[in-house]
Coordinates of all heavy atoms in Angstrom, one line a residue:
A1 N 13.0 -7.0 -11.7 CA 14.3 -7.7 -11.5 C 14.2 -9.2 -11.6 O 15.2 -9.9 -11.8 CB 15.0 -7.2 -10.2
K2 N 13.0 -9.7 -11.3 CA 12.7 -11.1 -11.3 C 12.2 -11.6 -12.7 O 11.7 -12.7 -12.8 CB 11.7 -11.5 -10.2 CG 12.3 -11.4 -8.8 CD 13.3 -12.5 -8.6 CE 13.8 -12.6 -7.2 NZ 14.8 -13.7 -7.0
G3 N 12.1 -10.7 -13.6 CA 11.7 -11.0 -15.0 C 10.3 -10.7 -15.3 O 9.8 -11.1 -16.4
V4 N 9.5 -10.1 -14.4 CA 8.1 -9.7 -14.7 C 8.1 -8.5 -15.6 O 8.8 -7.5 -15.4 CB 7.4 -9.4 -13.4 CG1 6.0 -9.0 -13.7 CG2 7.4 -10.7 -12.5
D5 N 7.2 -8.6 -16.6 CA 7.0 -7.5 -17.6 C 6.0 -6.5 -16.9 O 4.8 -6.8 -17.0 CB 6.5 -8.0 -18.9 CG 6.4 -6.8 -19.9 OD1 6.6 -5.7 -19.6 OD2 6.0 -7.1 -21.1
V6 N 6.5 -5.5 -16.3 CA 5.6 -4.6 -15.5 C 4.8 -3.7 -16.4 O 4.0 -2.9 -16.0 CB 6.3 -3.8 -14.4 CG1 7.0 -4.8 -13.4 CG2 7.4 -2.9 -15.0
D7 N 5.1 -3.7 -17.7 CA 4.4 -2.8 -18.7 C 3.3 -3.6 -19.4 O 2.7 -3.1 -20.3 CB 5.4 -2.2 -19.7 CG 6.3 -1.2 -19.0 OD1 5.9 -0.5 -18.2 OD2 7.5 -1.2 -19.4
S8 N 3.1 -4.9 -19.1 CA 2.2 -5.7 -19.8 C 0.8 -5.8 -19.0 O 0.8 -5.4 -17.8 CB 2.7 -7.2 -19.9 OG 2.7 -7.8 -18.6
D9 N -0.2 -6.3 -19.6 CA -1.5 -6.4 -18.9 C -1.4 -7.5 -17.8 O -2.4 -7.6 -17.0 CB -2.6 -6.8 -20.0 CG -3.0 -5.6 -20.8 OD1 -2.7 -4.5 -20.4 OD2 -3.5 -5.8 -21.9
A10 N -0.4 -8.3 -17.8 CA -0.3 -9.3 -16.8 C 0.1 -8.7 -15.4 O -0.1 -9.3 -14.4 CB 0.8 -10.4 -17.2
F11 N 0.6 -7.5 -15.5 CA 1.0 -6.8 -14.3 C -0.2 -6.3 -13.5 O -1.0 -5.5 -14.1 CB 2.0 -5.7 -14.6 CG 2.5 -4.9 -13.4 CD1 3.3 -5.4 -12.5 CD2 2.1 -3.6 -13.2 CE1 3.8 -4.7 -11.4 CE2 2.6 -2.8 -12.2 CZ 3.4 -3.4 -11.2
T12 N -0.4 -6.7 -12.3 CA -1.7 -6.3 -11.6 C -1.4 -5.5 -10.4 O -2.4 -5.1 -9.7 CB -2.4 -7.6 -11.2 OG1 -1.6 -8.4 -10.4 CG2 -2.9 -8.4 -12.4
L13 N -0.2 -5.2 -10.0 CA 0.0 -4.3 -8.9 C -0.5 -2.9 -9.1 O -0.5 -2.1 -8.1 CB 1.5 -4.3 -8.5 CG 2.1 -5.6 -7.9 CD1 3.6 -5.4 -7.6 CD2 1.3 -6.1 -6.7
N14 N -0.8 -2.6 -10.3 CA -1.3 -1.2 -10.6 C -2.9 -1.2 -10.7 O -3.4 -0.2 -11.1 CB -0.7 -0.7 -11.9 CG -1.1 -1.5 -13.1 OD1 -1.5 -2.6 -13.0 ND2 -0.9 -1.0 -14.3
G15 N -3.5 -2.3 -10.3 CA -5.0 -2.3 -10.4 C -5.7 -1.7 -9.2 O -5.0 -1.3 -8.2
S16 N -7.0 -1.7 -9.2 CA -7.8 -1.0 -8.2 C -7.7 -1.7 -6.8 O -7.7 -1.0 -5.8 CB -9.2 -0.9 -8.6 OG -9.8 -2.2 -8.8
Y17 N -7.6 -3.0 -6.8 CA -7.5 -3.7 -5.6 C -6.2 -3.4 -4.8 O -6.2 -3.1 -3.6 CB -7.6 -5.3 -5.8 CG -7.5 -6.1 -4.5 CD1 -8.5 -6.1 -3.6 CD2 -6.3 -6.7 -4.2 CE1 -8.4 -6.9 -2.5 CE2 -6.2 -7.4 -3.0 CZ -7.2 -7.5 -2.1 OH -7.1 -8.2 -1.0
R18 N -5.1 -3.4 -5.5 CA -3.8 -3.2 -4.8 C -3.7 -1.7 -4.5 O -3.2 -1.3 -3.5 CB -2.6 -3.6 -5.7 CG -2.4 -5.0 -5.8 CD -1.6 -5.7 -4.7 NE -1.5 -5.0 -3.4 CZ -2.0 -5.6 -2.2 NH1 -2.6 -6.8 -2.3 NH2 -1.8 -5.0 -1.1
F19 N -4.3 -0.8 -5.3 CA -4.3 0.6 -5.0 C -5.1 0.8 -3.7 O -4.6 1.5 -2.8 CB -5.1 1.4 -6.1 CG -5.1 2.9 -5.9 CD1 -4.1 3.7 -6.5 CD2 -6.0 3.5 -5.2 CE1 -4.0 5.1 -6.4 CE2 -6.0 4.9 -5.1 CZ -5.0 5.7 -5.7
S20 N -6.2 0.2 -3.5 CA -7.0 0.3 -2.3 C -6.2 -0.3 -1.1 O -6.2 0.3 0.0 CB -8.3 -0.4 -2.5 OG -9.1 -0.4 -1.3
Q21 N -5.7 -1.5 -1.3 CA -5.0 -2.1 -0.2 C -3.7 -1.4 0.2 O -3.4 -1.3 1.4 CB -4.7 -3.6 -0.5 CG -5.9 -4.5 -0.7 CD -6.6 -4.7 0.7 OE1 -7.3 -3.8 1.2 NE2 -6.5 -5.9 1.2
A22 N -3.0 -0.9 -0.7 CA -1.8 -0.2 -0.4 C -2.1 1.1 0.3 O -1.4 1.6 1.2 CB -1.0 0.2 -1.7
Q23 N -3.2 1.8 -0.1 CA -3.7 2.9 0.6 C -4.1 2.6 2.1 O -3.7 3.3 3.0 CB -4.9 3.5 -0.1 CG -5.4 4.8 0.5 CD -6.6 5.4 -0.4 OE1 -7.5 4.7 -0.7 NE2 -6.5 6.7 -0.7
N24 N -4.7 1.5 2.2 CA -5.1 1.0 3.6 C -3.8 0.8 4.4 O -3.7 1.2 5.6 CB -5.8 -0.3 3.6 CG -7.2 -0.1 3.0 OD1 -7.8 1.0 3.0 ND2 -7.8 -1.2 2.6
D25 N -2.8 0.2 3.8 CA -1.5 -0.1 4.5 C -0.9 1.2 5.0 O -0.3 1.3 6.1 CB -0.6 -0.9 3.6 CG -0.9 -2.3 3.6 OD1 -1.9 -2.7 4.2 OD2 -0.2 -3.1 2.9
A26 N -0.9 2.2 4.1 CA -0.3 3.5 4.4 C -1.0 4.2 5.6 O -0.4 4.8 6.5 CB -0.3 4.4 3.2
V27 N -2.3 4.1 5.6 CA -3.1 4.7 6.7 C -2.9 4.0 8.0 O -2.7 4.6 9.0 CB -4.6 4.7 6.3 CG1 -5.5 5.1 7.5 CG2 -4.9 5.6 5.1
L28 N -2.8 2.6 7.9 CA -2.5 1.9 9.2 C -1.1 2.2 9.7 O -1.0 2.4 10.9 CB -2.5 0.4 8.9 CG -3.9 -0.2 8.6 CD1 -3.8 -1.6 8.1 CD2 -4.8 -0.2 9.8
A29 N -0.1 2.4 8.9 CA 1.2 2.8 9.3 C 1.2 4.2 9.9 O 1.8 4.4 11.0 CB 2.2 2.7 8.2
L30 N 0.5 5.1 9.3 CA 0.4 6.4 9.8 C -0.3 6.5 11.2 O 0.2 7.1 12.1 CB -0.3 7.3 8.8 CG -0.6 8.8 9.2 CD1 -0.6 9.7 8.0 CD2 -1.9 9.0 10.0
H31 N -1.3 5.7 11.3 CA -2.1 5.7 12.6 C -1.2 5.1 13.7 O -1.3 5.6 14.8 CB -3.4 4.9 12.4 CG -4.2 4.8 13.7 ND1 -4.6 5.9 14.4 CD2 -4.6 3.8 14.4 CE1 -5.3 5.6 15.4 NE2 -5.2 4.3 15.5
A32 N -0.4 4.1 13.4 CA 0.5 3.5 14.4 C 1.5 4.5 14.8 O 1.7 4.7 16.0 CB 1.2 2.3 13.8
M33 N 2.1 5.3 13.9 CA 3.0 6.3 14.2 C 2.4 7.4 15.1 O 2.9 7.9 16.0 CB 3.6 6.9 12.9 CG 4.6 8.1 13.2 SD 5.3 8.8 11.7 CE 6.6 7.6 11.3
E34 N 1.2 7.8 14.7 CA 0.4 8.8 15.4 C 0.2 8.4 16.8 O 0.4 9.2 17.8 CB -0.9 9.2 14.7 CG -1.7 10.3 15.3 CD -3.2 10.2 15.0 OE1 -3.7 9.1 14.8 OE2 -3.8 11.3 15.0
T35 N -0.3 7.2 17.0 CA -0.6 6.7 18.4 C 0.7 6.7 19.2 O 0.7 7.1 20.4 CB -1.3 5.4 18.3 OG1 -2.5 5.5 17.5 CG2 -1.6 4.8 19.7
A36 N 1.7 6.2 18.6 CA 3.0 6.1 19.4 C 3.5 7.5 19.8 O 4.0 7.7 20.9 CB 4.1 5.5 18.5
A37 N 3.3 8.5 18.9 CA 3.7 9.9 19.2 C 2.9 10.4 20.3 O 3.4 11.0 21.3 CB 3.5 10.8 17.9
Y38 N 1.6 10.2 20.3 CA 0.7 10.6 21.4 C 1.2 10.0 22.7 O 1.1 10.6 23.8 CB -0.7 10.4 21.1 CG -1.4 11.4 20.2 CD1 -1.9 11.0 19.0 CD2 -1.5 12.7 20.6 CE1 -2.5 11.9 18.2 CE2 -2.1 13.6 19.8 CZ -2.6 13.2 18.6 OH -3.2 14.1 17.7
S39 N 1.5 8.7 22.7 CA 1.9 8.0 23.9 C 3.2 8.6 24.5 O 3.4 8.4 25.7 CB 2.1 6.5 23.6 OG 3.3 6.3 22.9
L40 N 4.0 9.3 23.7 CA 5.2 9.9 24.2 C 5.0 11.4 24.6 O 6.0 12.1 25.0 CB 6.3 9.9 23.1 CG 6.7 8.5 22.7 CD1 7.7 8.5 21.5 CD2 7.4 7.7 23.8

């Protein structure tokens, strides 16, 4: 929507680094939810 060509080689959010970091973020969010649930 901001004009980036997400189908070009310039698009890097689909690379291994972001795949790994996004996976980490998902796990951190899940763990926070899990801990909160146990605390209740």
Side-chain angles (χ1 to χ4, degrees):
K2 288 290 185 178
V4 174
D5 183 357
V6 299
D7 294 319
S8 71
D9 286 340
F11 180 68
T12 57
L13 291 182
N14 63 344
S16 59
Y17 178 76
R18 285 277 23 119
F19 185 93
S20 175
Q21 292 293 71
Q23 185 176 47
N24 290 342
D25 283 0
V27 172
L28 290 171
L30 179 149
H31 179 58
M33 177 181 280
E34 182 203 29
T35 301
Y38 279 118
S39 76
L40 296 173

